[in-house]
Amino acid sequence: MNFEERKYVLIAAVVLISSVFLLRLFWVQVVDDQWKAEAANISERKVTVYPARGLILDRNGELLVANTPVYDIMVVPREVVAFDTNAFAALVGVPVDEVKRRIAEAGGYSSYKPSVFEKQITADQYAAIAPHLSKYQGFYGQSRTLRTYPRRIAAHLLGYLSEVDARKVEQDPYYKPGDVIGVGGLEQYYEKELRGRRGVKYVVVDVHNKVQGPFREGLYDTLAHEGKHLYTSIDARMQAYGERLMKGKKGSIVAIEPATGEILCLVTSPTYDPELLVGRVRNTNYGVLQRDSLKPLFDRALQAQYPPGSIYKIVQSLLALQDSVITPNTGFPCNKALVGCHAHPNAGTIQSAIQYSCNPYFYMVFKRLMEQGDHKDRFTAASINLDHWNTGMRSFGLGQRPRVDLPALKGGSIPDAKFYDRIYGKGRWAFSTIYSVSIGQGEVLVVPMQMANLAAIFANKGWYRDPHVVRAVGRPDSLLPQWQEKHVTDVDAHWYDLIQEGMRRVVNEPGGTARQARIPGITVCGKTGTAENPHGQDHAVFVCFAPMEEPRIAMAVYVENSGFGGTWAAPIASLLMEQYLTDSISRPDLEQRMLEADLIAQEKFFRKKPKPPRSRR
């Protein structure tokens, strides 16, 4: 073959080889999706876009809960190449052994999917980490938000966020390992509204792990939708003031707007700073709080169950008036042989009986309720009349869990005939067996939320709306319709005039038991109580509402281990009501005494006197 012929052969070979390469290239880039997908896998990264959680605001638009940006460091195990473990551990603040363990754990979950390597790094900390993170292939930062609390109040009411457990991930496909979920308070009750909806975006990264831009101009991205805001009825100033007044004390405060059922403040003491349960320090701080002997994680306003004490006498009076077993002018002598009492004049009317909180008077009232003369056998009479009495009590929302928009609420206990049949046997108990119920002791239990609702019922003269914290979700004008339902008790409205007058006398007349609850220029109606405490000094209780003429606030205050209700609970309630109604405090000396009192420190000096055992009469 001469030179001219060899030239054509060479050209033909070049053309042939070039054609093969071009055809192969066309096949790989245009026809075969496998190679296209493989190329995408190598260069693109799927990034979860976490929505901002909804904010929580008080009744005046003040922020109770906001969001702050944080970063998670993610790892994709198959992309990790050999690196300086010591330097990386120092960079992210994680021990070397923990670095190795977490990478192995992520690989066990999936070598292709990203896992959270270190979570909830603050923006300041991440600013120092981010410039160096590109040196470590397979690791990258992902932004999200954490909660922050501008006023640092209402920890129990608001709840907190925690990482979902494996069980929740299995039950609800929305959640993935590493996600957070609301625990306790509004965060838990309104989790679906607050969490929003996650989005996804795809980004292109280079061989140095640096993001080069969106993949295919964001064609496959989905938007994240932020959570809805909660507009609550809480008054942040009142809440903060209540927490200051309860410092150094165990107990709770629940305040309600009677006309709407809106909760104005919900104080539990001892409490904790909600910022303690945010971010990387959450687990450590939670353990510390859990081991605290004062139990700051325990929500006393919703979960502590106490005997109602003398507050119960008001409800007994209403049921007795409704059943016509007493009249407004019924009087009983203060016969201390029946049940113990303090020194006071005999009560000749229902108003004076409430004013003096006379125990023998209400012993006789309950006796008439249980023995109405409709049955000769006192055992049968007690059984039938107690069930009737139980129905009346339940119309006040007692003996059942209140329909409050908060989780983990207790419902208290109101005994019926079956209850005592189980204890004493059918036909083996009568009024003489259960007489302590007449003055709010014995087997009756209530939670502070129910007591505040009782105060609202007295203010409204016989009706209430379910207490609630959130007025609207998403928009401030989107009022929730479920809170408009009106519940009416089994007692006619006109009987409440007598009750309100008795409660006025408790605060404003000589012989009343709550004189320290007086507020200059405002007519306060109230009732003191003392809840028996077998473990120490009795618990003080005070329920009230004001102003009498047009009630704007109803309240229940519990101060544990402090004895008589008029000493501590009534003054604390009056200060809070004055602040709410007048935006000022006219009794600085009283305020200072309440703020400085440390009743918890004084508990160790108390020695309880033994009480004689209850007898069956």
Side-chain angles (χ1 to χ4, degrees), residues 311-322:
I311 315 298
Y312 212 51
K313 296 170 183 173
I314 297 178
V315 192
Q316 301 276 35
S317 303
L318 288 164
L319 293 181
L321 289 165
Q322 183 69 22

Side-chain angles (χ1 to χ4, degrees), residues 424-456:
Y424 301 110
K426 192 174 180 61
R428 294 175 60 85
W429 58 273
F431 160 75
S432 58
T433 318
I434 61 173
Y435 70 90
S436 60
V437 171
S438 62
I439 55 173
Q441 307 297 343
E443 292 75 20
V444 177
L445 292 174
V446 296
V447 295
M449 177 63 72
Q450 291 172 318
M451 294 295 266
N453 195 43
L454 273 186

Side-chain angles (χ1 to χ4, degrees), residues 226-274:
E226 70 173 15
K228 297 178 179 177
H229 302 337
L230 299 186
Y231 298 88
T232 75
S233 56
I234 296 296
D235 185 307
R237 285 191 62 219
M238 187 180 184
Q239 178 76 26
Y241 188 45
E243 292 186 9
R244 285 180 61 210
L245 289 169
M246 289 299 290
K247 191 173 182 181
K249 308 163 189 70
K250 295 177 185 172
S252 61
I253 302 171
V254 183
I256 296 175
E257 186 176 70
T260 62
E262 293 179 354
I263 296 173
L264 300 171
C265 80
L266 192 64
V267 176
T268 284
S269 182
T271 184
Y272 60 91
D273 181 349

Side-chain angles (χ1 to χ4, degrees), residues 141-342:
Q142 180 170 282
S143 66
R144 64 193 326 177
T145 58
L146 275 187
R147 290 309 218 186
T148 186
Y149 305 87
R151 296 287 303 250
R152 298 194 168 196
I153 56 175
H156 298 86
L157 167 72
L158 298 172
Y160 58 90
L161 300 184
S162 181
E163 190 171 328
V164 290
D165 56 25
R167 183 180 176 186
K168 186 65 180 178
V169 172
E170 187 177 342
Q171 291 175 342
D172 190 336
Y174 176 85
Y175 296 100
K176 298 175 181 177
D179 283 353
V180 296
I181 190 171
V183 178
L186 297 178
E187 295 280 14
Q188 179 176 333
Y189 193 91
Y190 290 97
E191 163 68 13
K192 289 185 178 178
E193 290 81 1
L194 286 169
R195 73 186 183 192
R197 195 171 67 203
R198 276 191 303 261
V200 174
K201 68 176 180 180
Y202 296 87
V203 296
V204 178
V205 296
D206 62 15
V207 294
H208 301 295
N209 202 31
K210 291 182 179 178
V211 176
Q212 299 300 304
F215 174 68
R216 302 197 68 174
E217 299 181 347
L219 180 63
Y220 302 108
D221 294 355
T222 57
L223 293 175
H225 295 268
E226 70 173 15
K228 297 178 179 177
H229 302 337
L230 299 186
Y231 298 88
T232 75
S233 56
I234 296 296
D235 185 307
R237 285 191 62 219
M238 187 180 184
Q239 178 76 26
Y241 188 45
E243 292 186 9
R244 285 180 61 210
L245 289 169
M246 289 299 290
K247 191 173 182 181
K249 308 163 189 70
K250 295 177 185 172
S252 61
I253 302 171
V254 183
I256 296 175
E257 186 176 70
T260 62
E262 293 179 354
I263 296 173
L264 300 171
C265 80
L266 192 64
V267 176
T268 284
S269 182
T271 184
Y272 60 91
D273 181 349
E275 291 284 356
L276 291 175
L277 298 186
V278 176
R280 302 166 85 181
V281 297
R282 195 197 78 82
N283 289 343
T284 302
N285 288 334
Y286 186 85
V288 173
L289 292 171
Q290 204 169 32
R291 293 189 294 273
D292 192 323
S293 61
L294 296 178
K295 300 181 179 178
L297 293 175
F298 179 52
D299 191 340
R300 286 176 162 78
L302 303 182
Q303 297 176 334
Q305 299 186 106
Y306 310 90
S310 294
I311 315 298
Y312 212 51
K313 296 170 183 173
I314 297 178
V315 192
Q316 301 276 35
S317 303
L318 288 164
L319 293 181
L321 289 165
Q322 183 69 22
D323 281 359
S324 302
V325 299
I326 62 170
T327 70
N329 295 317
T330 297
F332 296 109
C334 183
N335 182 1
K336 296 182 178 61
L338 297 175
V339 61
C341 198
H342 58 281

